[in-house]
Amino acid sequence: MSTTKKGQRCAGGLPLRRALKEWCKLNERIVKEWGGDVPWWYNERASLSVFAGAISRSGDFAFEEFSSEKRQASPRTSKSHLSYKGRVDLYFNIRRKSFIAEAKMCWPRCDRLHPKRQKKIEQSLDHACQDVAISAPYGQRRIGMLFVAPRWNRNPKTDIARRVDDWIDKISAIECDAVAWIFPKAATAVYSGGYLYPGVAVLIKEVRRWRRKPTRR
């Protein structure tokens, strides 16, 4: 790619525009300073730390990986709740509004983002929402987050810039409250395991009601 590709979309009631802008800047800066490495190769906790840094750079604060009360519906009745101690991935404050978040990470192979792979991305975002939905409410707004780092074959048959544009169109159309993406020019030639990982996106969805966490199979 000859230029960096970045952008965002955010619902009006979610005050994350400035933080998402800083998140794009911070990822781009890290790639430039690291040279042959990118922050989205690593796990969800590492990617979440970049987002927490973006919150701080936007003038607010973030607090990661802490213990808190979780609630699940009783197996006898869905009306009573069982409480237990669990962990929350992130707490942050923006414009005097408090949020808690649970995050997931995926690295889909994306020669093309066909419907099956897009469905898996949507399911991963739903899992993050399910995890945050069982956190006990203390007045914070709750969001599920998914970091998506697509990977392509080392020698793609079509121009990588066109493939990235197509992927961005599809990922930004997934139903969520906010989405941002960054594909730095400096990451164009960075490979791992025979694949190119040119950038990352974050999808965010707000959870407005407590929900029973479903059993995963």
Side-chain angles (χ1 to χ4, degrees):
M1 294 184 296
S2 59
T3 60
T4 292
K5 297 178 182 292
K6 58 185 174 181
Q8 62 168 277
R9 171 177 59 80
C10 188
L14 202 61
L16 295 179
R17 293 184 182 276
R18 185 174 177 182
L20 291 173
K21 183 178 180 179
E22 290 295 335
W23 177 79
C24 290
K25 288 181 179 180
L26 191 53
N27 273 291
E28 188 173 10
R29 176 184 172 185
I30 292 171
V31 172
K32 287 181 179 178
E33 292 191 4
W34 284 1
D37 200 355
V38 294
W40 50 85
W41 273 346
Y42 302 93
N43 58 20
E44 67 190 46
R45 181 72 187 277
S47 289
L48 194 64
S49 71
V50 179
F51 186 83
I55 295 291
S56 298
R57 285 168 60 90
S58 66
D60 292 285
F61 66 88
F63 183 60
E64 297 181 64
E65 193 70 14
F66 61 96
S67 60
S68 184
E69 182 185 359
K70 301 279 187 172
R71 295 183 181 182
Q72 285 187 293
S74 167
R76 296 182 179 180
T77 170
S78 61
K79 294 183 180 180
S80 61
H81 297 161
L82 299 175
S83 296
Y84 65 97
K85 282 293 184 180
R87 288 186 175 274
V88 176
D89 285 343
L90 181 69
Y91 168 93
F92 62 93
N93 193 73
I94 290 183
R95 298 180 186 176
R96 299 182 180 178
K97 295 179 181 179
S98 299
F99 294 82
I100 54 174
E102 293 287 347
K104 302 295 180 186
M105 180 101 198
C106 64
W107 298 265
R109 182 173 175 176
C110 293
D111 298 324
R112 289 187 302 171
L113 187 56
H114 54 65
K116 184 179 291 187
R117 290 198 179 110
Q118 185 166 332
K119 184 66 175 178
K120 288 183 178 179
I121 291 172
E122 293 169 352
Q123 289 173 344
S124 295
L125 178 58
D126 285 342
H127 287 165
C129 291
Q130 290 163 9
D131 285 350
V132 77
I134 64 170
S135 293
Y138 293 108
Q140 304 104 335
R141 294 167 69 173
R142 292 173 287 184
I143 59 173
M145 305 177 66
L146 177 66
F147 298 98
V148 188
R151 57 192 174 107
W152 281 274
N153 289 326
R154 186 183 183 104
N155 297 308
K157 295 180 180 179
T158 57
D159 179 65
I160 189 62
R162 287 193 302 164
R163 300 174 82 170
V164 167
D165 286 340
D166 180 64
W167 191 86
I168 289 173
D169 287 342
K170 290 181 172 60
I171 202 74
S172 60
I174 290 177
E175 183 180 354
C176 58
D177 295 302
V179 58
W181 57 90
I182 174 68
F183 288 80
K185 178 182 178 181
T188 303
V190 179
Y191 297 91
S192 177
Y195 289 97
L196 172 67
Y197 296 78
V200 63
V202 60
L203 302 171
I204 296 172
K205 183 182 287 188
E206 184 169 8
V207 176
R208 293 175 175 82
R209 292 185 179 182
W210 178 88
R211 293 185 295 176
R212 178 178 179 177
K213 187 176 182 180
T215 302
R216 296 179 191 168
R217 297 181 180 179

